[in-house]
Amino acid sequence: MDFYTELKNVKNLFVIGDVHGCYLEFESLVNRILKEKDPVIISVGDTVDRGDYNLKTLELCFEMKEAGFFYEVQSNHNLKLYRWFSGKKVNVSRGLEKTVREIMNLPVEERFELRQRYMEYYRSLPLYILVNGGVVVAHAGIKDEMIGKTDKKVRDFVIYGQTTGRYTPEGFPERVDWTKDRVVDENSPKIVYGHVVFPEPYINNRCYGIDTGCVLGNRLTAYNPFTDEFIFEKARRVYFSFD
């Protein structure tokens, strides 16, 4: 299941940050993007959990992927849902409980169909995507020496990011800003990622963090690395709080 994908001859690229079940904002942002010429959309993952419309969000992802203009990379929240569907022992918290509640409210037959569809979908997702040789999209980011590789070390970094081994007061792993040590020149690929929430897109050493906390009440972000432009969709409300 661990592989990466190369897309070539893409003319217009839009990378969307962590959606987390914010279907209304996601659909609105996608509809704005689809007015552009020849758009290709890539999700940085974490499309589910914490928000209120996780199944509608998944359905939109399924439909767009089948239409051929949408791609998604592997991510920690979507992997956790895959593991839950697989019958693995997972901690149903940090937002997964909202997705599970939606699933369990479905009739049994629809629940089974969704399970089959989602598991096939997730197995088809690459670890990361290389676009036109100059842009890399990875959920939690990627280091230059990892590009072209898919071993366990790369997989763990791409899906979970880099941590200090310590924890925040809220109980979350303390994260390392891996972008600070990156040495770049004009030929270095742009790296677009999510996973870490920022109030505004975080730009450092040709790395672009675009999870701007829509599910927390801020906004959903799309970034076009070809034109260096951002598109924002304001959150309708606060869907989730860590308090």
Side-chain angles (χ1 to χ4, degrees):
M1 191 167 73
D2 294 338
F3 63 97
Y4 72 95
T5 292
E6 290 190 54
L7 302 180
K8 300 179 180 179
N9 302 315
V10 175
K11 299 177 181 178
N12 209 4
L13 176 65
F14 297 86
V15 187
I16 296 181
D18 302 39
V19 176
H20 280 303
C22 296
Y23 172 79
L24 300 176
E25 296 82 354
F26 186 37
E27 181 190 43
S28 180
L29 187 57
V30 165
N31 286 338
R32 291 167 63 189
I33 291 172
L34 291 180
K35 295 177 182 178
E36 302 286 337
K37 183 177 175 59
D38 300 322
V40 169
I41 300 173
I42 300 178
S43 165
V44 300
D46 276 6
T47 51
V48 297
D49 294 351
R50 298 179 177 165
D52 290 354
Y53 307 102
N54 298 288
L55 300 193
K56 292 185 73 172
T57 298
L58 284 179
E59 187 61 38
L60 182 55
C61 292
F62 295 159
E63 291 175 359
M64 292 192 296
K65 186 174 186 292
E66 290 168 2
F69 63 84
F70 176 79
Y71 301 85
E72 182 176 345
V73 295
Q74 292 186 39
S75 56
N76 58 301
H77 278 267
N78 288 65
L79 174 60
K80 194 173 183 182
L81 178 59
Y82 176 83
R83 288 173 53 81
W84 180 82
F85 267 134
S86 302
K88 305 289 187 182
K89 185 177 180 180
V90 298
N91 184 11
V92 183
S93 65
R94 307 297 195 198
L96 176 59
E97 71 277 6
K98 298 179 79 171
T99 306
V100 169
R101 189 180 308 127
E102 285 189 64
I103 295 168
M104 297 308 291
N105 283 334
L106 293 174
V108 173
E109 186 174 333
E110 290 183 30
R111 199 185 309 162
F112 177 78
E113 290 175 355
L114 175 62
R115 175 184 180 275
Q116 295 298 109
R117 193 175 186 190
Y118 179 76
M119 292 184 72
E120 290 177 8
Y121 175 82
Y122 191 80
R123 281 194 290 263
S124 75
L125 302 184
L127 273 178
Y128 55 90
I129 299 174
L130 179 61
V131 185
N132 291 2
V135 177
V136 185
V137 180
H139 175 63
I142 191 169
K143 295 186 176 182
D144 291 87
E145 63 268 23
M146 296 177 173
I147 298 172
K149 301 175 183 177
T150 59
D151 55 64
K152 185 181 185 302
K153 180 179 178 180
V154 173
R155 178 179 182 273
D156 288 347
F157 187 96
V158 164
I159 293 179
Y160 299 106
Q162 187 174 359
T163 62
T164 63
R166 297 185 295 271
Y167 289 85
T168 67
E170 296 78 19
F172 289 90
E174 185 179 73
R175 304 196 185 283
V176 174
D177 184 356
W178 53 272
T179 71
K180 288 184 177 180
D181 296 326
R182 191 182 188 211
V183 179
V184 298
D185 58 33
E186 65 274 9
N187 297 315
S188 300
K190 286 186 173 183
I191 297 174
V192 190
Y193 66 101
H195 192 58
V196 181
V197 180
F198 301 103
E200 299 289 337
Y202 176 64
I203 304 170
N204 190 40
N205 289 329
R206 294 178 67 82
C207 300
Y208 299 76
I210 60 168
D211 180 0
T212 47
C214 184
V215 76
L216 303 178
N218 191 23
R219 54 186 177 174
L220 186 62
T221 295
Y223 174 58
N224 186 327
F226 297 170
T227 63
D228 201 33
E229 295 175 318
F230 293 94
I231 305 174
F232 301 106
E233 186 70 28
K234 183 174 173 52
R236 304 299 191 267
R237 61 184 178 83
V238 175
Y239 298 92
F240 185 83
S241 172
F242 293 112
D243 296 336

